[in-house]
Amino acid sequence: MRFSNCRNCEDFRQVAKKRLPAPLFHYIDGGSDDEYTLARNTQAFEKVQLVPNTLSGIAKPKTATTILGHKIDWPVILAPTGMTRLFHHDGERAVARAAQKSGTIYTLSTLSTVSIEEIGALNTTPKCFQVYIHKDRGLTLEFIERCKRAGFSSLCLTVDTPIAGNRERDLKTGMIMPPKLTLKSLISFLIHWEWSLNYLFHEKFQLANVVSAINAGNSKNLISVMDYINSQFDPEINWHDAEQLIKAWDGPFAIKGILSPQDARRAADIGATAVMVSNHGGRQLDGAAAPFDMLQQIVDEIGDEIEVILDGGVRRGTHVLKALAMGAHACMIGRGYLYALAAGGQPAVERALTLLREEIERDMILMGAKSLQDLDRSKLHIP
Ligand SMILES: Cc1cc2nc3c(=O)[nH]c(=O)nc-3n(C[C@H](O)[C@H](O)[C@H](O)COP(=O)(O)O)c2cc1C
């Protein structure tokens, strides 16, 4: 199948699987331990059903909303994902451009393969930077200054990664960055010669925002993701650190990786603009609750005070509608655009976003919702 024939996320996933060398496909696709949480993230949406209103006379529903201080055309934003140039040589550039065209926010990861400065110059629409607190606090504060200079409009702090999750697929495939040709991986890289040629003949792979930290820690410059997280991130980060960062940034600020109503309350109390209800796409604590399973409690705790963004398992327009009806202000997707990126670069990401947006619009008409405000709990059957 070509990406132009893909109709949904699973189609893009199948094309990505064919195009990528196995270690890279599994790096996107996998979760931690037994991948219970990874699976539950999408299954959780099945616990509620949509209840449409008929004869509502809607031809064109309004999907615009405001998130992190910015008006976006539809209620889905793009999650931060590290090392994106491994999945397609255009990497973050392709995704940032597609987000801009689609009228939504792109979130650049600390572990991106294109720099803060380059994405800042390339993308003129609102953009968010995702920050990890490193042991080297100077590096963290440096990110903030660089983001301000590069015109980033908001910041999100990921708090569910004090140490790396146990991603056994990566241990099995020997996933390291940059990828290395070993005897074991050679066949996969040869079969995927198109990817391999692109990798060899495009600019050198590097984690553009943290090159110095990697060079300092590893003379061969080869490292696994888990090793990087465990050696560089500060496992002792706490609420005081988060509060200090909010003050230092002094602008729209989200805390990503919140799953409990208590943590959501603390995030609101220390001045966050939003919480991203998330378990890192099932890549950290396996057995953790699915974001959608926790959404109702979190919305009831802080939904009137700050924004709630649901992140994890979103594959369909109806998932977005269910989350919004439960009280989320927007949703965020990770693999939903990464599979497409691997399948065909920027045009494929554009197609994936267009398909999801069309699904949302079609489903809103079917629901009898003329705007996002019409989606509330009366539109859900919760058995
Ligand atoms: C390949 C990959 C890399 C990721 N890298 C990061 C990252 O650098 N920072 C971060 O906060 N989250 C990262 N995430 C988690 C995403 O931001 C997001 O929470 C997750 O993908 C949402 O689940 P979904 O893929 O089911 O949409 C990554 C996820 C994937 C799949």
Side-chain angles (χ1 to χ4, degrees):
M1 194 194 314
R2 287 174 51 78
F3 80 77
S4 47
N5 295 326
C6 291
R7 301 295 323 160
N8 54 51
C9 188
E10 180 56 26
D11 287 349
F12 285 110
R13 180 176 173 274
Q14 292 303 332
V15 181
K17 193 171 184 180
K18 287 210 179 76
R19 290 187 66 110
L20 285 177
L24 302 181
F25 172 75
H26 289 295
Y27 180 69
I28 299 178
D29 199 55
S32 50
D33 293 359
D34 298 321
E35 303 188 343
Y36 162 83
T37 295
L38 172 65
R40 179 66 201 164
N41 282 358
T42 300
Q43 283 161 9
F45 291 102
E46 289 170 20
K47 74 175 185 178
V48 305
Q49 294 143 19
L50 292 164
V51 184
N53 287 135
T54 54
L55 299 174
S56 306
I58 300 157
K60 180 83 186 141
K62 293 193 177 73
T63 56
T65 188
T66 299
I67 287 294
L68 291 167
H70 295 288
K71 197 158 182 275
I72 51 175
D73 291 347
W74 59 300
V76 174
I77 66 177
L78 305 198
T81 55
M83 306 204 297
T84 307
R85 232 160 30 75
L86 284 183
F87 315 131
H88 186 277
H89 51 273
D90 285 338
E92 290 86 355
R93 297 178 188 113
V95 185
R97 285 196 196 102
Q100 173 154 317
K101 268 192 158 176
S102 162
T104 192
I105 296 173
Y106 174 56
T107 312
L108 184 73
S109 165
T110 295
L111 300 182
S112 63
T113 45
V114 175
S115 70
I116 293 172
E117 288 71 19
E118 191 181 330
I119 294 297
L122 176 146
N123 195 327
T124 52
T125 46
K127 49 204 165 280
C128 180
F129 181 72
Q130 174 266 324
V131 69
Y132 283 119
I133 296 188
H134 282 60
K135 284 181 188 154
D136 175 355
R137 296 303 165 97
L139 193 61
T140 310
L141 292 176
E142 205 181 284
F143 291 144
I144 291 197
E145 288 314 311
R146 288 172 65 187
C147 286
K148 283 183 182 166
R149 281 198 300 273
F152 276 74
S153 38
S154 51
L155 212 69
C156 92
L157 169 67
T158 299
V159 294
D160 56 16
T161 315
I163 53 170
N166 180 38
R167 300 177 199 162
E168 290 181 2
R169 287 206 219 184
D170 295 346
L171 295 173
K172 274 190 199 127
T173 62
M175 170 68 187
I176 51 167
M177 54 187 188
K180 192 172 169 245
L181 283 183
T182 60
L183 202 56
K184 209 166 139 202
S185 63
L186 190 65
I187 295 172
S188 190
F189 284 104
L190 283 178
I191 292 171
H192 301 93
W193 57 270
E194 214 177 322
W195 180 93
S196 303
L197 286 179
N198 275 321
Y199 179 73
L200 289 174
F201 290 108
H202 282 86
E203 81 219 64
K204 188 173 161 248
F205 173 89
Q206 59 181 15
L207 293 183
N209 300 318
V210 294
V211 196
S212 54
I214 289 203
N215 287 343
N218 187 316
S219 56
K220 285 197 218 125
N221 210 4
L222 286 171
I223 192 167
S224 81
V225 189
M226 290 188 226
D227 287 344
Y228 180 82
I229 293 173
N230 291 335
S231 64
Q232 301 294 327
F233 293 4
D234 188 348
E236 293 181 351
I237 63 164
N238 56 42
W239 285 99
H240 179 68
D241 295 314
E243 192 171 4
Q244 294 299 107
L245 217 56
I246 291 176
K247 287 196 179 118
W249 174 249
D250 194 23
F253 192 106
I255 300 190
K256 174 174 185 279
I258 298 288
L259 278 181
S260 79
Q262 296 83 349
D263 278 357
R265 161 61 41 216
R266 282 193 93 159
D269 289 347
I270 63 166
T273 319
V275 287
M276 293 169 168
V277 183
S278 172
N279 55 32
H280 217 105
R283 298 161 78 79
Q284 285 296 104
L285 176 67
D286 196 34
F292 188 70
D293 282 328
M294 297 311 298
L295 186 61
Q296 183 167 4
Q297 287 182 55
I298 289 179
V299 166
D300 290 348
E301 181 67 36
I302 47 113
D304 288 341
E305 297 167 46
I306 63 173
E307 290 162 13
V308 177
I309 299 166
L310 185 284
D311 169 66
V314 174
R315 302 288 182 267
R316 283 287 188 187
T318 48
H319 297 158
V320 177
L321 262 54
K322 286 177 180 180
L324 297 190
M326 193 63 91
H329 298 83
C331 289
M332 193 150 82
I333 55 169
R335 295 180 184 83
Y337 74 79
L338 280 182
Y339 292 135
L341 178 71
Q346 184 181 337
V349 178
E350 285 175 18
R351 179 170 173 79
L353 298 182
T354 302
L355 286 170
L356 186 60
R357 187 172 173 177
E358 284 172 358
E359 276 190 23
I360 291 171
E361 286 175 0
R362 182 169 50 246
D363 295 338
M364 283 178 71
I365 296 173
L366 292 170
M367 282 291 294
K370 63 180 177 311
S371 73
L372 302 179
Q373 285 69 41
D374 287 345
L375 295 167
D376 57 28
R377 288 197 193 154
S378 72
K379 303 293 191 304
L380 292 178
H381 171 59
I382 308 176

